[in-house]
Amino acid sequence: MTTATTRHSDRRISPVFLGICAVTAVTGWATWTGFAEKPGIAVFLFVTGAWIVSLCLHEYAHARTALHSGDITIGAKGYLTLNPLKYTHALLSIVLPVIFVIMGGIGLPGGAVFIERDRIRGRWRHSLISAAGPLTNVLFAVACTAPFWLDALDGVPSEFRYALAFLALLQVSAAILNFLPVPGLDGYGVIEPWLSYDIKRQIEPFAPFGLLFVFALLWVPQVNSVFFDLVDAVLHGLQVDRGEASSGWSLYRFWT
């Protein structure tokens, strides 16, 4: 019997995603070579494109893990095509994270793909599905910082170095935020299967407000300082200087 998940069209990469990748590649090349006459615009398009690509891969990781864990409806929903327009909340998944990058230089996690959890058996599988997304951000952060710890940026225009450092900051901050054990975030999804029914029932009403709660806390100077100190520590361990990431954010906001 052929299910929706076995149709080739359900797994074909979306032209929308390919278009975003093309914009990212072209503007990345223009920044890398110094070809762009206005590097700020090229950096903006490069970082925004790469950030959206990482958001798509984040959601794809959730979906693909859910598919192999038992939710055979994933393919029919279009989640395997990497098309951001197929997400349950395109505004929350793509638009808001980009806005928060512009406003505060923070990799705010988005969401979401709708997973039919009733089809999945086993607490470990549920935890792995939740962890798959932020683990993608971790891998993306490693990829962004590899040129730094491999000393592969000699002779490359500083604009590209700064853009890559800023993109690494976004990935690190997104991974940290996503792994917080706050209802509505992936970190809570990792531990939720191991909680008692009574605890989950008490927490459930607060789940829709978890992300807003985290965002509000980041506006508290003391919390913001601790958070970015942690981000800085991770970036330093990956041999990326926070000053370069800050320069990347300044370039990214070319209109200021």
Side-chain angles (χ1 to χ4, degrees), residues 3-7 10-11 67 71-80 86:
T3 67
T5 58
T6 61
R7 293 201 302 263
D10 292 335
R11 302 189 303 272
L67 173 66
D71 185 359
I72 60 174
T73 69
I74 288 295
K77 294 170 183 172
Y79 297 156
L80 302 179
K86 294 292 184 179

Side-chain angles (χ1 to χ4, degrees), residues 98-186:
V98 171
I99 289 176
F100 283 119
V101 169
I102 294 173
M103 290 176 56
I106 298 176
L108 192 73
V113 293
F114 177 70
I115 297 169
E116 298 187 15
R117 294 277 183 169
D118 292 342
R119 294 176 176 268
I120 298 165
R121 299 290 180 266
R123 290 183 292 184
W124 281 107
R125 290 181 177 179
H126 284 281
S127 295
L128 184 59
I129 290 169
S130 296
L135 286 175
T136 303
N137 292 110
V138 172
L139 292 175
F140 215 103
V142 171
C144 289
T145 57
F148 290 89
W149 41 268
L150 291 175
D151 293 325
L153 294 173
D154 292 341
V156 174
S158 58
E159 288 83 3
F160 183 82
R161 185 183 182 97
Y162 297 158
L164 207 57
F166 178 49
L167 186 58
L169 181 148
L170 295 180
Q171 298 303 325
V172 170
S173 60
I176 293 173
L177 289 173
N178 265 294
F179 271 126
L180 291 177
V182 175
L185 298 180
D186 291 327

